[in-house]
Amino acid sequence: MSAKEIITAGCYHIPVLLSETTDGLDIHEGGRYIDATFGGGGHSREILRRLNGTGHLYGFDQDADAATNVPQDAANFTFVHSNFQYLEHWMRFYGEEGVDGILADLGVSSHHFDDEHRGFSFRFDAPLDMRMNRKGGMTAADVLNTYDEAALSKIFTLYGELKNGRRLANAVTKQRGAREYRMVNDLLETARPIIGTAREKKDMAKLFQALRIEVNHEMEVLENMLCAALRVLKPGGRLSILTYHSLEDRMVKNFMRSGNIEGKVEVDFYGNRLSPLQPVGNKPIVPSEEEQQRNPRSRSAKLRVAVKV
Ligand SMILES: C[S@@+](CC[C@H](N)C(=O)[O-])C[C@H]1O[C@@H](n2cnc3c(N)ncnc32)[C@H](O)[C@@H]1O
């Protein structure tokens, strides 16, 4: 199915923890909100429904394909085709003095995995691209062809949590001496003998996830977005964030308890905590068994919510 067919077939993306993530924003009519990851617009449509024609919602997405999902009948919605790390600049541009809530549903959408031309999935032999924003930046092929072995090893081990990350990095650097990486099958040929058959699907998914995180600088832009969110939220404003792997979950968890990604909580002279955010609940919310069955993509999801103090 082509990107266009997927979009018109209406299966761009099934929203994860739809009610819970939107509940996290504690929406009130007249409020101003940001959906930092618009995608198929599932969460945005739910926010707009609860706004009931009042207030305003800004929907960010760095992938131009997402614009196809913009609701045509909502005067209180603005689509912002940009990386969410720039949300503070955009709010200044639109004259917003502070928002009541920011939602982020991190990573890529089903649309990315299902598009057979973009290289996000090992199911299709596409060019090794993996950029959410195709206007610029390095592709996955560039990463594989130019990074040294130590850098590749770090990416595979850290972002992919792959036990054999070092061996994979070594095999990639050896292989590219003979032939450049261009297509998904080039990478599969290198990785298959190392990964083996027992865990092939799981580990290939991790390898592709690792490359995607690097190509899109996902950890760096998440940190920038969290810091910007803190400046853009009004006191009492809500942050509601869905993560899908342990690295991003740790960053969000630390940030929500301390206001920094290291998770270091400052205390005043009397030992009182000085965090700018107050987490809602002690544990993340995870999808029910029923949701995980219905929407396998939701399986690794964790929802964390915090209120700006
Ligand atoms: C998991 S999907 C969101 C799905 C959405 N909640 C829905 O209900 O359809 C993530 C979306 O965020 C976009 N995205 C990811 N990182 C981004 C970033 N740094 N800046 C802007 N958009 C980003 C992706 O292109 C993708 O469309």
Side-chain angles (χ1 to χ4, degrees):
M1 223 190 241
S2 72
K4 214 165 181 190
E5 282 166 337
I6 290 165
I7 295 165
T8 39
C11 50
Y12 195 99
H13 186 83
I14 302 169
V16 173
L17 287 169
L18 179 62
S19 303
E20 295 84 346
T21 310
T22 318
D23 288 348
L25 294 175
D26 194 22
I27 292 175
H28 55 85
E29 290 194 7
R32 326 286 295 177
Y33 297 90
I34 293 175
D35 178 352
T37 50
F38 177 74
H43 287 105
S44 277
R45 276 189 289 278
E46 180 58 16
I47 296 170
L48 288 168
R49 191 185 68 76
R50 297 188 193 193
L51 280 175
N52 199 18
T54 69
H56 205 87
L57 173 65
Y58 297 90
F60 281 71
D61 208 295
Q62 61 178 336
D63 186 342
D65 285 357
T68 327
N69 304 314
V70 169
Q72 297 304 320
D73 52 350
N76 57 345
F77 178 80
T78 305
F79 179 70
V80 187
H81 178 208
S82 166
N83 195 301
F84 57 46
Q85 68 175 326
Y86 304 120
L87 63 83
E88 188 181 11
H89 308 289
W90 283 102
M91 288 307 102
R92 210 172 300 137
F93 174 79
Y94 286 114
E96 287 291 346
E97 290 184 352
V99 298
D100 299 281
I102 300 174
L103 179 153
D105 176 10
L106 298 172
V108 286
S109 65
S110 306
H111 167 66
H112 291 115
F113 290 125
D114 293 340
D115 186 331
E116 56 198 75
H117 305 291
R118 297 187 60 176
F120 286 101
S121 168
F122 54 90
R123 289 179 292 145
F124 312 113
D125 187 26
L128 280 161
D129 188 325
M130 299 197 194
R131 289 170 304 166
M132 290 187 224
N133 176 1
R134 283 171 285 179
K135 277 204 183 134
M138 279 191 145
T139 64
D142 294 332
V143 170
L144 291 166
N145 289 323
T146 62
Y147 280 28
D148 66 22
E149 192 176 326
L152 287 172
S153 173
K154 189 176 151 203
I155 291 166
F156 298 155
T157 313
L158 194 68
Y159 296 163
E161 296 173 283
L162 283 158
K163 286 200 182 79
N164 39 20
R166 278 174 68 178
R167 278 184 65 207
L168 278 165
N170 179 264
V172 166
T173 47
K174 274 197 182 128
Q175 171 60 37
R176 75 189 184 200
R179 196 181 53 168
E180 280 207 332
Y181 284 94
R182 220 172 48 79
M183 304 294 285
V184 164
N185 280 352
D186 300 335
L187 178 58
L188 297 187
E189 256 177 51
T190 309
R192 266 199 189 114
I194 295 169
I195 282 176
T197 47
R199 295 183 45 86
E200 182 170 320
K201 269 196 176 164
K202 278 197 171 152
D203 282 2
M204 280 304 177
K206 287 179 170 186
L207 175 60
F208 276 63
Q209 169 185 291
L211 276 169
R212 187 205 88 207
I213 292 174
E214 176 62 20
V215 165
N216 296 288
H217 308 290
E218 289 181 34
M219 300 314 296
E220 190 185 320
V221 298
L222 173 58
E223 179 179 352
N224 293 342
M225 186 271 277
L226 290 169
C227 294
L230 205 49
R231 295 189 292 267
V232 162
L233 278 175
K234 291 179 189 166
R238 297 279 190 118
L239 205 48
S240 184
I241 302 195
L242 274 169
T243 65
Y244 294 89
H245 59 82
S246 58
L247 270 186
E248 60 187 15
D249 183 57
R250 195 175 318 134
M251 190 184 276
V252 170
K253 179 182 167 186
N254 281 345
F255 196 83
M256 286 188 172
R257 62 188 286 270
S258 67
N260 58 69
I261 60 159
E262 293 81 29
K264 261 194 264 157
V265 182
E266 287 187 29
V267 286
D268 69 11
F269 184 73
Y270 303 100
N272 299 316
R273 292 162 53 91
L274 290 173
S275 176
L277 289 165
Q278 176 70 48
V280 175
N282 296 327
K283 284 190 174 166
I285 297 171
V286 294
S288 64
E289 275 298 320
E290 185 277 320
E291 178 166 0
Q292 293 184 39
Q293 290 294 328
R294 181 168 43 82
N295 182 8
R297 194 191 130 74
S298 72
R299 280 183 194 148
S300 55
K302 282 186 181 161
L303 170 67
R304 293 188 186 272
V305 177
V307 185
K308 179 156 171 197
V309 177

